[in-house]
Amino acid sequence: MPLTSIVKKNWPLFLAGALALVGVIVFRAWLNWDALGLTVRLQDLSGLLAPLAFAAAAIERAVEILVSPWRDAEASKLERVVATIKAKPAELVANAQNAADLKTASDKLDQYRGDTQRYAFAVSLTLSVLVSMAGVRALGNFVDANKLKDPVFTHGAQYLFFLCVDVALSAALLAGGADGIHSLVNAVTSFFDASADKSSKANPA
């Protein structure tokens, strides 16, 4: 396969890699910030992320309330068209036309549902960014904010950059819904439980 075809097919991957490389170069050349000590205790994880999960559930409900009255009526109409075509009696002469009509109606319904999902995601992401900017965030719960503001420990620009990253990451998690946050908690707790089991088996009392 020619190199140009490979690049064209995988351009998002190459673009992400290039941006990451530029970020590393910028960090090495000008920033050189020290690492932040995130304090993550397994017993506190669920409690610290509970506000994020609650906000995500509230955003999901708000999106449903905002989008459903606008989109559901037309979706119901398209669903009735598909159901009507499927309910037609099987006739040898009309089967080909019915199949074509069913495909056309199904494609229209799928296209409409896809558009609805994109609109819902746009509304969800907008609300998630606003909620995150208001203060409901993921990483901020695991660091000492006062210590971040202390110039002895961090550079002032690092604190501002951390806030921007926290807002962006939190908005992405909120837009993913409450189930995504619960999955994150379950994945982390499962990892720690598995690590503890391996440690106990390797070093029996």
Side-chain angles (χ1 to χ4, degrees), residues 3-167:
L3 180 60
T4 54
S5 299
I6 296 176
V7 173
K8 185 176 181 180
K9 183 178 180 180
N10 300 289
W11 70 266
L13 180 61
F14 285 106
L15 179 61
L19 291 176
L21 180 60
V22 170
V24 171
I25 294 173
V26 170
F27 176 80
R28 178 63 185 88
W30 290 287
L31 304 180
N32 290 316
W33 293 330
D34 291 331
L36 298 176
L38 296 181
T39 304
V40 182
R41 295 196 305 172
L42 185 60
Q43 60 269 29
D44 298 335
L45 186 62
S46 298
L48 290 174
L49 291 180
L52 203 67
F54 172 76
I59 289 172
E60 284 181 321
R61 180 56 181 158
V63 170
E64 182 181 349
I65 292 172
L66 292 172
V67 174
S68 292
W70 170 35
R71 303 289 294 181
D72 283 0
E74 184 64 23
S76 298
K77 186 187 299 183
L78 293 173
E79 288 173 355
R80 286 195 298 271
V81 172
V82 172
T84 300
I85 297 174
K86 288 182 177 179
K88 288 182 178 180
E91 298 178 1
L92 185 61
V93 177
N95 275 348
Q97 183 61 45
N98 288 343
D101 292 343
L102 179 60
K103 183 179 185 308
T104 301
S106 298
D107 289 344
K108 286 183 179 179
L109 179 59
D110 291 341
Q111 178 65 40
Y112 190 83
R113 285 174 173 169
D115 291 341
T116 300
Q117 290 177 344
R118 285 188 287 272
Y119 294 143
F121 177 74
V123 175
S124 176
L125 185 59
T126 300
L127 293 176
S128 298
V129 170
L130 294 177
V131 170
S132 180
M133 290 171 62
V136 182
R137 299 171 193 152
L139 296 180
N141 294 326
F142 300 97
V143 298
D144 186 350
N146 292 325
K147 190 173 181 180
L148 281 177
K149 295 177 183 179
D150 191 340
V152 173
F153 294 99
T154 62
H155 191 277
Q158 182 181 7
Y159 173 65
L160 295 177
F161 187 75
F162 174 81
L163 289 181
C164 293
V165 171
D166 198 10
V167 166

